Each structure stands twice: as structure tokens, then as C-alpha cells.
Amino acid sequence: MNPSGADPGRTKPPGPKPRWPKIRGRDAHTLAGAYAMDAISVPDRARFERHLAWCEECAQEIASLREATARLGSAAAVPPPAGLKDRVMAAAAMTRQQPPAAGDADSTARARA
């Protein structure tokens, strides 16, 4: 079994293919994202890995999600251009605010209180 992703050479456990399990009331397929990001409990991880041994669809999804996660993790934050905050704040100060919606006397009274 290769739970890290799709692998054409991976072997499946002996015996009949199990029916897709429910893990804490959820279809096992819905846990692929959480599994790929290591955000799943130890018992659920074990159950999902048993499912993963049979499910090529989940194996492919996990490989894709892990690739995307690695790309996001290696992305570098770029500082904003100098003066951006000042320009945004100046534009916000010059923008006319919308008046309260008509017929909304309760919220107007609460705002004044």
C-alpha cells in the first residue's frame, strides 16, 4: 500500500474489495483533503489508509493535493509596494459611505445609543 499518492506499481491487500467505509458518519472520499494535509485524527487516518489501499481515485487526489500544498508552502510572501497602505487609506477616506437602508429604524436607533 502506498498512501502517499497514486502509484501504478502499488499493491492492494489480498481479499475482496471492501465496501467504501463511513468514517465518523462521513463518506471516506470526503477525507482526502484532510488526510493530505495531515489534519486527521490517528484512528480516522488508519481507517482512511485502509480505504486508500483500494481507492485509486483517492490516491490520485491525494497526490494532486500534496503537490499543490508543496507549491503553496514554497511560495514566498512579497512585501507590498511602498506607499500602498497610505494610498488605500486615502482612497477610503475620500469614498462616500452609503446611508442606512430605508426602513431600518431599529438599527439606526441602536447605532445612536
Side-chain angles (χ1 to χ4, degrees):
M1 171 173 76
N2 182 3
S4 64
D7 178 4
R10 72 187 198 148
T11 58
K12 296 184 181 198
K17 178 179 177 179
R19 63 183 179 86
W20 300 131
K22 294 278 187 187
I23 299 175
R24 296 188 191 264
R26 300 172 77 183
D27 183 339
H29 294 99
T30 64
L31 296 175
Y35 178 85
M37 296 182 69
D38 295 322
I40 191 171
S41 69
V42 173
D44 287 348
R45 173 175 294 282
R47 289 183 196 102
F48 185 79
E49 286 176 348
R50 284 193 298 273
H51 163 79
L52 189 57
W54 290 97
C55 185
E56 187 63 30
E57 180 183 341
C58 282
Q60 289 174 354
E61 182 175 1
I62 287 168
S64 174
L65 289 169
R66 286 197 170 152
E67 181 181 338
T69 301
R71 284 186 192 165
L72 289 171
S74 66
V78 177
L84 177 63
K85 180 178 179 183
D86 292 335
R87 290 192 305 273
V88 169
M89 298 304 286
M94 300 289 290
T95 303
R96 185 168 182 239
Q97 302 300 307
Q98 295 291 323
D104 195 9
D106 290 336
S107 65
T108 303
R110 283 192 301 264
R112 289 183 186 155

